[in-house]
Amino acid sequence: MNDTIRLISLGGLDEDGKNCVLLDISGDLFVVGCGVRYPDRTLPGIDYVIPRHDYLIERKDDVKAYFLLQGDEDDMAAIAYFYQDVPAPVYASRFTIEMLKTFTRSRKMDPEMYDFHEVPPSSTFKVAGRKVVYFHTAHNIADSSGMAISTSLGNVVFSGDFVVENNAKPGFQQDMAAIAKLAEEPTLALLSESKFADHPGYTAPNYKLAPLVERDIKDAKGRVFVALFASNTYNISEAVAMAVSSRKKIIPYDKETAETLKTLSTLSVLTIPKENFAPLDDILRIKDSDEMIMMLAAGPDLYNKIGLLAARQNEDKRIVLDASDTFVVACPANDNTEIEFTDAVDELYRTGAHVINLSKKQLRKMHASEEDLKMMLSLLKPKYYIPLKGFFKDLLNNAEVALSMGIKLNHSNVFLPENGLTVIIDEKGGRLINEDIPHGDLMIDGMGVGDVGAKVLSDREKLAEGVVVLALTISKSKRRIVAGPDVQMRGFVYVKDAESIIREVSRIFVSTVEECLASEEYSIESIKQTVYEKSLRSIRRSTGKEPMVLPLLIEVA
């Protein structure tokens, strides 16, 4: 009997991050990727956004495995929140496992909770009776993979994040031989990344950092700072090589950077000679021109570090930027972190340091461009094609690349699903349907998962515009105001400008309460709501702002 395959994305479509695909093969459920999305400024106070996973919880007994293809947070970090509800074996490379352990510890969870199965980035193994093939991909993150899983109708292949490149450093090369061997078997469906689908040509060699900054680093008269994403192990290894060749000592900017470098060295991803490394405590003992200060972090946290250092608000006062320093910003923003990036770099230019700000066009991440995608398509020749990872424009561009190939892909076998929709493939063919799979965002706020909703976020946005506190005391028996009003404003308008607003808000406050007290029936809650609405209307009309308005009414006998 032939298998029935269902493919459902819980995240990663029409967004940047939160990548998570469910692969259902005749009732056995496999989770491919399980990532977070970094919040933008519309989500104040939120640490991460993860996929809603009610559907997985409902079917947790069917979940046979998590397959993690790389160690970036947008592809694997959400498993820290999924796993307690839906435990299952986790298959990943050694490096990816260590990155997940590091993230889990950072969220104050126990990394020993996972059932890890370490697999090399190119390997073949069996899960739930099915052959699974991992093939090494050339990506910024060490030991990244694509994967294929067997079905009675052919292989379902996930490209992973990749570029066609055999000239990269060892540990970052595309295993074309493994892909060619996989192509000897029928490919039922290929699911491929889309972020750079609109970029003509190949991505290589535009992901390389050294050609862009090597001369500047060697010629620098003062200290050299290099800011990189902690997961971008390819560019980190290039920075280390440049430090060695220019006889500089690598100094970690902070404890987080030191721990990351230690982990990478332990895993043999990096080799830092002893004579080219110095702890942060030695920063004032070493000649400025002999220092490379490396700053590593994930996503918006890295931009926050840059901004604080530039504004001289960093904790370690031994590190202060001046005009003799060279600062290499090798961490271009994602689409949802542009504002944080721009603010940090703008502050950096104010320091007078020599800033080398590498744009997305100069320093690309190792994602597949048009010709990379065509190479994968021409090798595997899938019966069905499904673009993954990216905004809708990226998914559409990827689909158009496939349609242009002349390999029997057309509008009936190239699917553009949305999160929560299902692609079904069986002996009757392939089709896209809506099975009402629960999906959406879960907000991570500290240790809370899904505790923050639209109302809380709205309140936080209002708090950003200030707070107005209205207080008075009511005699319940006499039905009149016996103390107050007292109106206090914080973080709202300048004190001198507040007098007229306070007078008007006080008048509205008192008159509204008196009107409510004069009615036959009243309640404190109804008075608070009426005061809130009228006061906010008045403030909005006179200032154009919507601060948080807090009516405080005290009842006495």
Side-chain angles (χ1 to χ4, degrees), residues 203-273:
T203 296
N206 295 327
Y207 59 83
K208 293 184 178 181
L209 175 63
L212 301 174
V213 300
E214 190 168 18
R215 177 52 55 192
D216 293 278
I217 288 174
K218 283 185 178 179
D219 294 344
K221 303 300 182 185
R223 298 173 300 178
V224 173
F225 289 77
V226 181
L228 287 159
F229 294 123
S231 61
N232 189 348
T233 49
Y234 190 91
N235 290 155
I236 293 172
S237 65
E238 284 187 287
V240 168
M242 287 186 280
V244 172
S245 66
S246 57
R247 298 180 180 179
K248 294 182 183 294
K249 287 189 181 292
I250 297 166
I251 300 175
Y253 174 76
D254 56 10
K255 184 178 179 182
E256 180 183 4
T257 302
E259 289 177 350
T260 300
L261 292 176
K262 181 180 178 181
T263 299
L264 296 179
S265 298
T266 302
L267 295 172
S268 301
V269 175
L270 288 181
T271 301
I272 304 178

Side-chain angles (χ1 to χ4, degrees), residues 131-155:
K131 184 176 78 169
V132 179
V133 177
Y134 267 35
F135 52 90
H136 202 307
T137 59
H139 187 48
N140 296 88
I141 302 168
D143 291 348
S144 297
S145 298
M147 67 161 284
I149 187 167
S150 65
T151 78
S152 62
L153 301 175
N155 291 323

Side-chain angles (χ1 to χ4, degrees), residues 223 225 293 295 306 309-312 314 318-327 347-349 351-353 355:
R223 298 173 300 178
F225 289 77
I293 300 171
M295 179 188 288
I306 295 171
L309 173 61
R312 299 193 177 189
N314 52 311
R318 293 173 297 181
I319 310 176
V320 178
L321 290 174
D322 59 43
S324 66
D325 294 325
T326 297
F327 201 110
E347 197 69 42
L348 197 56
Y349 277 104
T351 65
V355 179

